[in-house]
Every structure is written in structure tokens, then in C-alpha cells.
Amino acid sequence: MTASSSMVDFNTGLLEFLHASPTPFHATKNIAAALLSKGFTPLYEGDSWELEQGKRYVVTRNDSSIIAFVYGKSPLLDSGIRMLGAHTDSPCLKVKPRAELNRRGYFQLGVEVYGGALLAPWYDRDLSMAGRVTYRDQSDQIASALVDFQRPIAVVPSLAIHLDREANNLRTINAQKDIVPLVLQLPTDETPLPDFRGLLHTELQKQQPQLAIKQVLDYEISLYDTQPPALIGLEQDFISSARLDNLLSCFIGLQALLEADDDVSSLLICTDHEEVGSASCCGAKGPMLQQFLERLVPDVDTRVRIIERSMMISADNAHGIHPNFMDKHDENHGPLLNRGPVIKVNANQRYATTSETSAFFRLLCEKADVPVQAFVARTDMGCGSTIGPVVASEVGVKTIDVGCPTFAMHSIRELAGTRDGWYLYKAAVEFFTYLKAPIALISR
Ligand code: ZN
């Protein structure tokens, strides 16, 4: 296989993964399925574990965060653990618990905004819904299942410009009032509203007839755009899709981990709730990774020494310099699409990169023969953040924040370069196939 045809295969797989993963639950399920099909053994957090060197494991939490671990044959104390982190969630609209609204016979669903969504692009899209449904089964046990309506069943129509002549200059969006999706027109104003839980029950039972659902109790359902991801541009230079932030990095981490050698240990962690600060039982600020490491190495002294020999690559997209808005970047730090992964630096520790971890990543990129770029935010502007500083401060592992440059971050339709995912994947493969401990490259 040539390098370019491999990149084509990589992007084909990426588009499929993005399309099949409308929510963090679906992304986690798809990542787990890919790992299980390659010989990873499932672990359950409620079980007692006996982990064996030379084996591969996968464990999930809340159905929306996942750790995959390649337990290398060489002692952890010699080699440390090569870790790569990303997040499974993306900003979106989520259906409220009592969602049903009747306005002049239009059946609408009340929604909350999850994370820092760019709201304007949600107008005039053919939307569907997906997520997790929790129900009471026929023996009164609580169980959950994933649902995905797949077909377009909702829309948020724009207000016509004739009714708002200043729309192009002054329009703002009130999140409570202006973005309520429309799902059905009732025969009359007085027709009783359909029950949303009942609709979920019907849909889930249709999709999974084997489930013994007695009553849907609750749900975490979000809306998404049904337009499939696509390669676009005259020469297909770009990938256009929802959820590139951060399923692009999840896919890169997954594909790279599948290439990991079984000499040195490697770990992939993809967590939920990054877009709202990561503070949850399954978020990066929660104890999932720390508890995994404690169960792997119960002795504190040994564990701390292993972490000292380890390194984490935190992968999350970066802001490419936008040709229409060039002044939003520092003049020397405007990453270009298709020019390679971006090292993200912030003096105030919004990114966890240090001179040592970034130097290490530069060497990785050199070995992988891929270009690399650097980003710092303008000094007079705030800076985003990601799971890097969170994991670094929770676990104490040396961390670098990197990511593919993108446009339209947090839009319902984001844009990345066709080559950058492949480049970062190649650097990550280099990371997971290095025979030496990551930190061994940094002399003491
Ligand atoms: Zn992100």
C-alpha cells in the first residue's frame, strides 16, 4: 500500500466513524467494537481485575468514556506508559426532561445548549436525534440502550430577513427562545401532544425488538445534522463534518493504538464532558484514569515512579488561521490546514505543553516524516483549553497538547484539512511503536 492510498483509506474510515458516532455514547460503542474485533479483552469496573502483561484490555464508564490498554511485555518501571488522550463529546442541543411544547399546533422540543456551541449554523439543517435511553424492563430492572433515529425529524427554521431587516448586522440568538426545534404539525391547536418518552419507546422497540421495554424513564438525547461528512474542495483538500472536535482525535488515537507494539505499554483514553469542563464521574477531571492506574499498579511508590517515566499526548483540534479573519491570530502563530499537527502552548497553563514534551513531539514528527506547527493565542485574547492540563494535574503525567488545525470549531459543520489527521496518526504510531520509554529521550 502506498502512503497516499493509506491516507485515502484512513480518511474513508474517519468519515464512516464520524457518521456512525452522532453522540459520545455511539463513539464509545464504536471505539470499543473496533478494539474488541482486534483482540482486546473487555474489563468491567465492577469486577476484580487480574491484568497480564502481553494482553490488551478495554474498559468503559458511563457508556461515554473509554480506556484501552496494551499491557507491554517490558516492565512498566523500565518503560513507563505511552498515553494518548482525546474527548468523545461535542457541543450540541440536548432535549430537556419535559420537552414537549405546543405552539399553534406545532409540536416542538425544548432543548438545552451543551457546551460552547456556535448556534447560528444550527438553523435550516435537516436534524435527527440520537443518544441513550434508560428504561424499566419487564422485570422492573433499569437498563439502557442507544437509539439513533438516523432520518431527518427536526428542523430549526430561520426567521425570514423580511421580518428582521437588520438580521445580517444585528441578529443575536436567545438560546431559550430562538432555537427550539420543530418536529411535527398537529391536526389542530388542541390536539394532545405526543409524549416524547413514548416516541423513544416506539423507536427503540422498532430498532431493537429484543429489548423488553416496559417504560422509558429517562434519556440523554441530542440533535445532530443528518448531512454525512464529506471531502470537499476542487482537489478535496478539506474534510467537512460535525464533531471533528474531537472525534477526529479519537479516531487517530484508536487507529494508532491498533498499531502499538506489545513491548512497551500503551494507553488510549477518550473521555466525555470535556466541552463542559470534564468534571464528572467519567470526565477527565474524574478519577477514571487515576483509578485505572491504581488498579494496574497498586503500590504508590512504584506507580509514581512509572508515571514519572510516562508521557501523555493530549490530542484536540487547534484553530487554523482563517483567511477571512487573519487578525484573530498572532502573526507568527497562525497554523495552516494541511501543514501538519499543531503544538499548543500557553504560558498560563491552559495547555499542558512544556519545552520537554514539545521537543519530544517534534522528534516524533521528524521520525514520522510529518510537518509540525505551533500555536499560541493572541496575547490580548483568551485561550481555550482541553483535557491536557486536567490530566496533567490529576495524574501528574508529563503532557503535550497537540491537535489538527481546523476552521469553524464548535459549529454543527466543522472543517479540517484532508492531510492533517493522517499526519497526526503517523506521529501517534511513531509514539506507540517507540521501543524506548518516552521519557528516556529526555536525559536527566
Ligand atoms: Zn475539543
Side-chain angles (χ1 to χ4, degrees):
M1 202 187 309
T2 68
S4 63
S5 74
S6 309
M7 186 178 83
V8 169
D9 293 347
F10 177 87
N11 283 331
T12 303
L14 170 65
L15 298 197
E16 282 169 14
F17 175 70
L18 289 163
H19 191 50
S21 306
T23 74
F25 302 114
H26 291 84
T28 300
K29 186 178 154 209
N30 291 331
I31 293 168
L35 293 162
L36 294 176
S37 77
K38 300 284 184 186
F40 279 68
T41 303
L43 292 172
Y44 301 95
E45 290 193 303
D47 290 352
S48 159
W49 293 357
E50 278 178 35
L51 305 177
E52 288 173 45
Q53 286 181 271
K55 288 200 163 181
R56 300 174 166 226
Y57 298 97
V58 59
V59 59
T60 64
R61 184 178 284 198
N62 187 48
D63 306 324
S64 62
S65 293
I66 187 164
I67 290 176
F69 183 59
V70 176
Y71 199 168
K73 289 173 183 153
S74 69
L76 289 171
L77 260 179
D78 287 350
S79 57
I81 304 171
R82 307 171 291 201
M83 306 184 203
L84 194 150
H87 66 88
T88 57
D89 60 318
S90 306
C92 62
L93 304 182
K94 282 197 164 171
V95 182
K96 289 178 176 175
R98 290 188 64 194
E100 302 87 347
L101 298 165
N102 179 351
R103 288 166 172 167
R104 299 295 309 272
Y106 293 110
F107 178 34
Q108 292 181 280
L109 293 175
V111 288
E112 279 188 287
V113 178
Y114 175 80
L118 197 58
L119 290 177
W122 281 81
Y123 284 97
D124 309 322
R125 297 269 170 180
D126 304 345
L127 303 173
S128 189
M129 284 184 231
R132 181 170 68 176
V133 177
T134 303
Y135 59 90
R136 182 206 310 261
D137 69 13
Q138 299 298 344
S139 36
D140 275 342
Q141 300 289 301
I142 288 177
S144 292
L146 303 193
V147 70
D148 180 359
F149 282 75
Q150 295 183 328
R151 60 198 183 278
I153 51 170
V155 62
V156 188
S158 291
L159 179 66
I161 195 162
H162 315 77
L163 305 179
D164 179 9
R165 288 288 180 190
E166 293 299 320
N168 288 332
N169 301 322
L170 298 177
R171 184 172 290 179
T172 59
I173 300 170
N174 180 303
Q176 166 68 18
K177 196 171 91 40
D178 298 345
I179 50 158
V180 186
L182 170 62
V183 290
L184 182 74
Q185 184 165 23
L186 303 166
T188 70
D189 287 19
E190 284 75 39
T191 308
L193 278 173
D195 167 46
F196 186 60
R197 284 171 176 75
L199 293 175
L200 290 174
H201 187 157
T202 306
E203 183 69 21
L204 196 54
Q205 203 70 82
K206 193 172 81 187
Q207 291 183 6
Q208 302 186 54
Q210 76 283 8
L211 298 178
I213 306 169
K214 192 163 162 189
Q215 180 194 20
V216 169
L217 297 173
D218 266 304
Y219 50 83
E220 291 172 65
I221 297 289
S222 48
L223 287 100
Y224 71 91
D225 188 1
T226 54
Q227 185 179 2
L231 298 177
I232 65 166
L234 279 173
E235 303 284 348
Q236 300 199 323
D237 286 322
F238 310 109
I239 296 172
S240 174
S241 173
R243 303 177 296 283
L244 285 168
D245 175 13
N246 190 17
L247 295 186
L248 173 55
S249 305
C250 291
F251 184 77
I252 290 165
L254 166 66
Q255 297 305 321
L257 188 76
L258 292 175
E259 302 294 319
D261 63 61
D262 54 7
D263 185 28
V264 175
S265 295
S266 297
L267 183 146
L268 171 69
I269 177 164
C270 299
T271 49
D272 197 359
H273 299 141
E274 188 273 344
E275 299 293 356
V276 293
S278 291
S280 71
C281 79
C282 62
K285 220 176 236 171
M288 188 180 183
L289 178 57
Q290 181 64 27
Q291 287 172 348
F292 183 90
L293 296 173
E294 285 169 7
R295 298 178 80 168
L296 177 67
V297 186
D299 178 66
V300 181
D301 184 73
T302 312
R303 190 169 63 247
V304 171
R305 290 164 66 202
I306 290 165
I307 290 170
E308 170 59 22
R309 288 159 171 75
S310 302
M311 187 178 292
M312 159 82 72
I313 294 178
S314 158
D316 198 355
N317 297 343
H319 299 294
I321 185 164
H322 191 307
N324 300 356
F325 305 94
M326 305 266 281
D327 58 345
K328 295 293 181 188
H329 277 71
D330 179 86
E331 62 193 298
N332 277 351
H333 299 90
L336 296 171
L337 270 56
N338 289 314
R339 296 291 190 274
V342 178
I343 295 171
K344 299 190 273 185
V345 175
N346 180 252
N348 300 305
Q349 294 300 303
R350 301 284 288 164
Y351 299 127
T353 308
T354 69
S355 66
E356 292 188 335
T357 57
S358 80
F360 174 74
F361 188 76
R362 285 182 190 279
L363 287 186
L364 274 186
C365 289
E366 195 178 289
K367 275 177 71 75
D369 196 23
V370 302
V372 63
Q373 312 182 75
F375 172 80
V376 292
R378 278 179 64 109
T379 313
D380 56 1
M381 278 174 64
C383 179
S385 192
T386 179
I387 63 163
V390 173
V391 173
S393 54
E394 293 294 319
V395 176
V397 63
K398 295 174 183 65
T399 299
I400 176 160
D401 276 302
V402 299
C404 297
T406 60
F407 296 148
M409 192 182 286
H410 292 192
S411 168
I412 196 170
R413 195 93 181 154
E414 301 175 328
L415 197 76
T418 312
R419 287 180 276 286
D420 292 318
W422 171 249
Y423 287 149
L424 184 51
Y425 159 76
K426 284 182 58 169
V429 169
E430 202 62 52
F431 181 50
F432 283 143
T433 51
Y434 235 133
L435 290 179
K436 282 196 256 174
I439 213 64
L441 280 178
I442 300 171
S443 57
R444 294 286 137 195

